[in-house]
Amino acid sequence: MKLSEFKFELPENLVAQHPAKNRDESRLMVLHRDSGKIEHRTFKDILEYFDEGDVFVVNDTKVFPARMFGNKEKTGAQIEVFLLRELNTEIHLWDVLVDPARKIRVGNKLYFGESDMVAEVIDNTTSRGRTIKFLYDGPPEDFYKALYSLGETPIPKEFITRDTEAADKERYQTIYANNIGAVAAPSAGLHFTREVMKRLEIKGIEVAPVTLHIGLGTFRTVDVEDLTKHKMDSENFVVPGTTAVVVNKALDTKKRVCAIGTTAMRAMESSVSAHTRLKANEGWTDRFIFPPYDFKIANALLTNFHTPESTLMMMASAFAGHDLLIEAYKLAIKEKYRFFSYGDAMLII
């Protein structure tokens, strides 16, 4: 398929700037792949579509406060430093983005807040990318505590154009977040509440975790018309053996396996055994899923409404069927569903 087949006009006022007042009161559009039927529900109604023995596979990655503001030595110019990933834990080496990048050269030092946190620029990696080394001598736990106290929640400013607020610290995080390492939230999971999770348990629906640490590549624009030429950024993931056992039991007994978000789906599709079952696995994946694609594990997908020409929309299209997804997006705009990370949800079954 071509990039242009995923182009549509998204009114700016439909990009959610804040989450719904209550997580589970977001709207839920339900797409039935077999009949093409489309329903309009509320998120907490999701349990009506699943039964005992079905499995929800969630991404339990935890977002860390990746956006920091420092000052350049001598000039005092304010510099935004966005932490991408830690390259070396012993010497506190990090891969980051800086803005404005033109002011930051190798050898520059950056000072953060009133603290003793100082970083030196070691290398240029891309036009905005830098490798920096934090000059810190204390115990590792003190370093991370200090680092995270200086950072703010990395809501994606390309689409959520307001300033970060205190409430984002809790709301831009799933309630089951456990393994720190993401710079963006797995947005489909943001709709779950403890009440919904308890109702899942009572109904006999199992919740099984995978971990995929989402990088900024999830928002990177596709700039080639031929999708086969697009390269995804690699992201670190883990599929535990216990999750593989739960998922495979559901598949063997013809139950539903629902991927909670495109990142949970990517982790599973990167861990398929020769017998088309889920296998325990960990490593890095750059798997790009777009139509046509034969999904091997999950037979249901919960996702949000995505921005035009995004790789997330492409995966949803591959799962729902392109024509049905485009019809659903047109209807979502007409019915004023909320898009993007803090927006409404779509269940494809």
Side-chain angles (χ1 to χ4, degrees):
M1 295 194 77
K2 303 296 183 185
L3 176 64
S4 53
E5 295 179 75
F6 297 89
K7 189 179 181 69
F8 65 94
E9 291 298 322
L10 175 59
E12 281 186 24
N13 66 313
L14 294 186
V15 177
Q17 297 296 308
H18 291 87
K21 184 177 180 182
N22 297 308
R23 291 176 185 262
D24 58 6
E25 290 176 359
S26 296
R27 296 167 74 186
L28 176 69
M29 181 184 285
V30 183
L31 272 59
H32 297 262
R33 294 186 292 173
D34 54 352
S35 65
K37 179 182 175 184
I38 297 176
E39 298 180 85
H40 304 284
R41 305 295 298 269
T42 300
F43 183 77
K44 61 178 64 172
D45 299 331
I46 192 171
L47 277 84
E48 295 179 23
Y49 298 91
F50 296 90
D51 296 308
E52 183 178 356
D54 291 340
V55 178
F56 280 16
V57 179
V58 302
N59 182 5
D60 70 359
T61 189
K62 190 171 187 177
V63 179
F64 63 89
R67 183 176 280 115
M68 302 173 63
F69 294 92
N71 296 97
K72 187 180 173 185
E73 62 175 339
K74 297 179 183 175
T75 67
Q78 187 181 72
I79 306 295
E80 178 181 315
V81 177
F82 196 102
L83 305 175
L84 294 176
R85 62 184 65 84
E86 191 170 25
L87 302 174
N88 186 304
T89 56
E90 291 182 8
I91 60 172
H92 308 308
L93 208 61
W94 284 76
D95 189 13
V96 304
L97 296 177
V98 294
D99 186 34
R102 68 183 186 280
K103 295 184 177 182
I104 301 302
R105 298 183 173 87
V106 173
N108 287 159
K109 285 190 173 68
L110 300 172
Y111 295 82
F112 296 92
E114 300 299 318
S115 70
D116 296 327
M117 189 69 77
V118 181
E120 182 178 357
V121 180
I122 302 299
D123 193 15
N124 293 338
T125 51
T126 64
S127 59
R128 288 184 57 210
R130 301 290 186 273
T131 301
I132 67 173
K133 177 182 179 180
F134 287 99
L135 308 176
Y136 193 90
D137 290 332
E141 56 271 21
D142 290 352
F143 168 73
Y144 292 114
K145 185 177 179 181
L147 188 68
Y148 294 159
S149 71
L150 290 167
E152 67 174 43
T153 304
I155 59 170
K157 294 292 182 70
E158 299 91 334
F159 303 102
I160 300 177
T161 53
R162 61 172 172 81
D163 289 338
T164 303
E165 298 170 3
D168 292 313
K169 185 175 181 180
E170 182 224 342
R171 294 303 303 271
Y172 196 62
Q173 195 85 268
T174 64
I175 62 165
Y176 47 74
N178 187 45
N179 293 305
I180 198 160
V183 299
S187 55
L190 295 178
H191 305 284
F192 285 87
T193 59
R194 304 204 184 284
E195 291 75 18
V196 169
M197 299 295 277
K198 187 65 179 176
R199 288 170 59 209
L200 288 172
E201 181 186 339
I202 291 169
K203 197 166 183 179
I205 299 165
E206 295 208 54
V207 177
V210 296
T211 305
L212 186 140
H213 293 313
I214 305 163
L216 277 186
T218 192
F219 304 127
R220 189 157 64 87
T221 54
V222 179
D223 53 13
V224 288
E225 178 68 4
D226 180 356
L227 297 184
T228 62
K229 291 183 167 56
H230 177 68
K231 185 82 165 62
M232 293 284 283
D233 291 0
S234 289
E235 293 169 316
N236 190 240
F237 76 99
V238 178
V239 176
T242 49
T243 292
V245 170
V246 168
V247 167
N248 293 335
K249 179 183 175 184
L251 293 176
D252 291 342
T253 53
K254 308 292 189 223
K255 297 292 184 179
R256 273 201 171 130
V257 174
C258 184
I260 305 302
T262 57
T263 57
M265 182 72 87
R266 281 184 71 211
M268 287 192 284
E269 288 298 310
S270 301
S271 309
V272 180
S273 75
H275 304 290
T276 359
R277 288 293 182 265
L278 188 63
K279 64 180 180 181
N281 195 13
E282 61 180 289
W284 294 81
T285 180
D286 61 357
R287 184 174 293 269
F288 178 28
I289 297 175
F290 61 95
Y293 185 87
D294 179 22
F295 290 86
K296 305 295 194 303
I297 306 295
N299 44 38
L301 171 65
L302 179 74
T303 189
N304 275 25
F305 290 89
H306 305 295
T307 50
E309 300 180 322
S310 62
T311 59
L312 310 177
M313 180 189 178
M314 291 168 192
M315 184 191 293
S317 163
F319 194 81
H322 189 66
D323 291 344
L324 178 58
L325 189 88
I326 294 300
E327 179 189 350
Y329 268 50
K330 287 178 180 176
L331 185 58
I333 292 170
K334 180 183 175 185
E335 297 293 331
K336 293 185 166 46
Y337 275 75
R338 288 152 43 90
F339 280 67
F340 203 55
S341 301
Y342 275 150
D344 295 314
M346 171 186 284
L347 175 64
I348 308 170
I349 53 177

